[in-house]
Amino acid sequence: MAEVTLNDVRKVYAGGVEAVKGVSLDIPDGGFCVLVGPSGCGKSTLLRMVAGLETISSGQVAIGGRVVNEIEPAERDIAMVFQNYALYPHMSVYDNIAYGLRNRGTPKDEIDRRVQEAARILAIEPFLQRKPRALSGGQRQRVAMGRAIVRKPQVFLFDEPLSNLDAKLRVQMRVEIKKLQRALGVTSIYVTHDQVEAMTLSDKLVVMSGGQVEQVGTPTEVYRRPETRFVATFIGSPPMNILPGLVDGDGRVSVGGLTLAADDLPAGLEPGRHVDVGVRPEEVEVAPAGAPGAPFAIDFVEELGATELLHGTLGGSPFVLQVNTGAVSPGTKAVTLAIPSRCVHVFDAETGKRLGRAESATARAA
Amino acid sequence: MVERKHWFSTLLPHAILILGVLIVAFPVYVAFVGSSWDAGTIANGTMPMTPGPYLVENYSRVILSGNATAREPVGPMLFNSFVMAMIIALGKIAISIISAYAVVYFRFPLRKTAFWLIFITLMLPVEVRIYPTYKIVADLGLLDTYGGLAIPLIASATATLLFRQFFMTIPDELVEASKIDGAGPWKFFKDTVLPLSITTVAALFVIQFIYGWNQYLWPLLITTREDMQTIVIGIKKMLVTQDALTEWQLAMATAVLAMLPPVVVVLVMQKLFVRGLVETEK
Ligand SMILES: Nc1ncnc2c1ncn2[C@@H]1O[C@H](COP(=O)(O)OP(=O)(O)OP(=O)(O)O)[C@@H](O)[C@H]1O
Ligand SMILES: [Mg+2]
């Protein structure tokens, strides 16, 4: 059993930078938790506090029920995969993988068995005698993984392990990491700023910003019901459109003269209150000619192959729409959009917090 | 990259290099030629440019019996120089790699101060601190010992700074990976830092061995007994004589012999050096 629990964890660096401002998290045994957020938001710092590479300014980190604040990294029973792999350049691949076991006094034949097993799982058997420098980026990545899995730790920690790989390899390794984690059932914390990695890998997605957790949930929850404007624009590609608007009565908002229905908008808000209205580019459809809807003026089109992005204006604000290629005939200057009321997200203009009903209501609606 | 070079662009650098080699090698050649003639030929004013017939005789005299002024044969002096240079080179490397390791990887009170103190000693070479150093060595009873010859020269700010510079290029992630792999400070030093530093160590060994080998002032001061003399002092003594003709041919032979150990060190270390450069990578 190795659940990881963070309790109001803070990090203040010498010099006064507060990199992590009170984070509480529960990661169940065998869970795959992804920390995602923009650069500098404190993801690495948080991960490194779990690893023991950074002291914890206040709060508690517990692994498998044991508070590890004062425990050395080696004794925390964790393994870490670094962005630049951090392989020992002077050691062979075999020694790189075996090093951690040797330091723990594991018997030689046991080490050999485990290294061979890890090498088999990761398909790096042919390279065992090579030095890291004689490997490609993808192979080095596997060695780094091998070094992590050979110890059979309670927790895997990954700090942007794929960001040095090319796009194709990244997709491939992403799938492999997921499979491997499933097969081994080891609790994992994974830091990335790539939202595709975040969505596909996690069963618990943590969106961070400015040293704080913005939202925790399954990828679907976070995508469907972003709790803040920040999460709404950060998760999803292309990002959600945000239009300035006003509350227009129960369940309705107005955006530059258009009135949109919003299912999730709670009743009883004062009309005329300033809000930000969020609409995902991929959730809007072009209405058949003559049907009622919101008029959208198209400025230009970006083609992505299967889909295309229509850039234009809706209710006086810039707006992006994603449609299947061919859904709008080339040269069209204006279309009418059908914006489903369940896809309209409303955020407080000042705090950026979602204006929504109790969670259960949307859960039912979704 | 395929690049067709103009013959001129290969020729010119080579011409310059060859010229440089000739300029450096010429005095060495003259010393060698000088060691193969007799005293009379050299003394009459024009040094022959080709080796003469006295090569074997001169070298066997130098090696077996010494000469008229410095009565010691060359062997023990070479040995003394070698011991001194080895202690200095190894001592410098051992001390500076440890202090650089401490300065780079440990957080202790007055760490910055320690670093600056080491740095400041750069401004205090042996010559500047020679009187207090002599006093200490004398009080410790180390005159005419290998310890007295070598130990005061061991502390090295240059080597410490070089190691520090090198350690700072070792990525932090390697330290962290080692921590997670359960390697403490000693294991990290032994298993990672030392193997990665091997080229730096080799380079420093060459430099410091030659530095130690070429010491003149300090050994001159600290040694009084004939049997503790170093080769550099031996050569000097052969040149300055009050009553007799300087036996140039023997001095040259001694000089040539004195050149050999550093040359061997360079050749041997160069291999390690190159192998290190080829095999390791940060
Ligand atoms: N050693 C340090 N001393 C002071 N401030 C630091 C230190 N390390 C990081 N910081 C600061 O803490 C904040 C969080 O850094 P962190 O490395 O955790 O960001 P990150 O979310 O991992 O970003 P990235 O995606 O770019 O890796 C940043 O503002 C950074 O400048
Ligand atoms: Mg980071």
Side-chain angles (χ1 to χ4, degrees), chain B residues 177-190:
Chain B
S178 296
K179 275 188 195 165
I180 292 176
D181 271 340
W186 166 242
K187 270 203 173 138
F188 176 62
F189 181 74
K190 174 172 73 80

Side-chain angles (χ1 to χ4, degrees), chain A residues 13-20 37-48 54 83 159-160 191-193 208:
Chain A
Y13 279 110
V17 183
E18 191 172 10
V20 175
S39 186
C41 70
K43 315 177 289 286
S44 299
T45 306
L46 192 60
L47 190 77
R48 291 162 54 79
E54 213 73 75
Q83 178 172 356
D159 194 350
E160 308 198 21
V191 165
T192 179
H193 52 235
M208 290 183 67

Side-chain angles (χ1 to χ4, degrees), chain B residues 154-197:
Chain B
I154 277 180
S156 169
T158 329
T160 309
L161 293 178
L162 259 166
F163 276 122
R164 172 178 177 270
Q165 243 27 53
F166 172 73
F167 290 170
M168 304 226 292
T169 66
I170 297 179
D172 286 346
E173 282 85 353
L174 276 191
V175 187
E176 295 173 346
S178 296
K179 275 188 195 165
I180 292 176
D181 271 340
W186 166 242
K187 270 203 173 138
F188 176 62
F189 181 74
K190 174 172 73 80
D191 294 341
T192 304
V193 172
L194 211 52
L196 288 179
S197 312

Side-chain angles (χ1 to χ4, degrees), chain B residues 38-109:
Chain B
D38 59 337
T41 316
I42 300 173
N44 81 27
T46 44
M47 174 73 94
M49 276 301 111
T50 49
Y54 296 94
L55 193 75
V56 176
E57 187 200 321
N58 288 343
Y59 280 88
S60 51
R61 261 183 74 192
V62 165
I63 291 169
L64 299 177
S65 59
N67 68 15
T69 39
R71 250 163 263 282
E72 280 299 305
V74 169
M77 289 196 287
L78 280 175
F79 179 77
N80 290 343
S81 277
F82 182 77
V83 171
M84 177 180 75
M86 281 304 267
I87 298 178
I88 290 177
L90 295 178
K92 268 181 191 284
I93 288 169
I95 294 221
S96 49
I97 200 167
I98 292 169
S99 45
Y101 187 64
V103 167
V104 173
Y105 288 106
F106 292 84
R107 302 282 164 272
F108 51 90

Side-chain angles (χ1 to χ4, degrees), chain A residues 48 51 53 73-74 78-80 82 84 86-91 99-100 103-104 131 133 147 151, chain B residues 171 173-183 187-188 191-193 195-196 278-282:
Chain A
R48 291 162 54 79
L53 298 172
I78 48 129
M80 185 152 170
F82 294 86
N84 64 6
L87 302 177
Y88 307 112
H90 56 291
M91 294 185 197
Y99 189 59
N103 287 339
R104 282 171 175 75
K131 294 273 170 67
R133 120 186 90 77
R147 193 164 67 175
R151 297 224 325 266
Chain B
E173 282 85 353
L174 276 191
V175 187
E176 295 173 346
S178 296
K179 275 188 195 165
I180 292 176
D181 271 340
K187 270 203 173 138
F188 176 62
D191 294 341
T192 304
V193 172
L196 288 179
V278 173
E279 270 186 6
T280 65
E281 170 195 76
K282 276 167 266 138

Side-chain angles (χ1 to χ4, degrees), chain A residues 295-315:
Chain A
F296 175 58
I298 303 172
D299 287 340
F300 63 95
V301 178
E302 276 184 302
E303 292 173 19
L304 302 178
T307 61
E308 50 192 19
L309 300 181
L310 311 179
H311 293 256
T313 339
L314 183 98

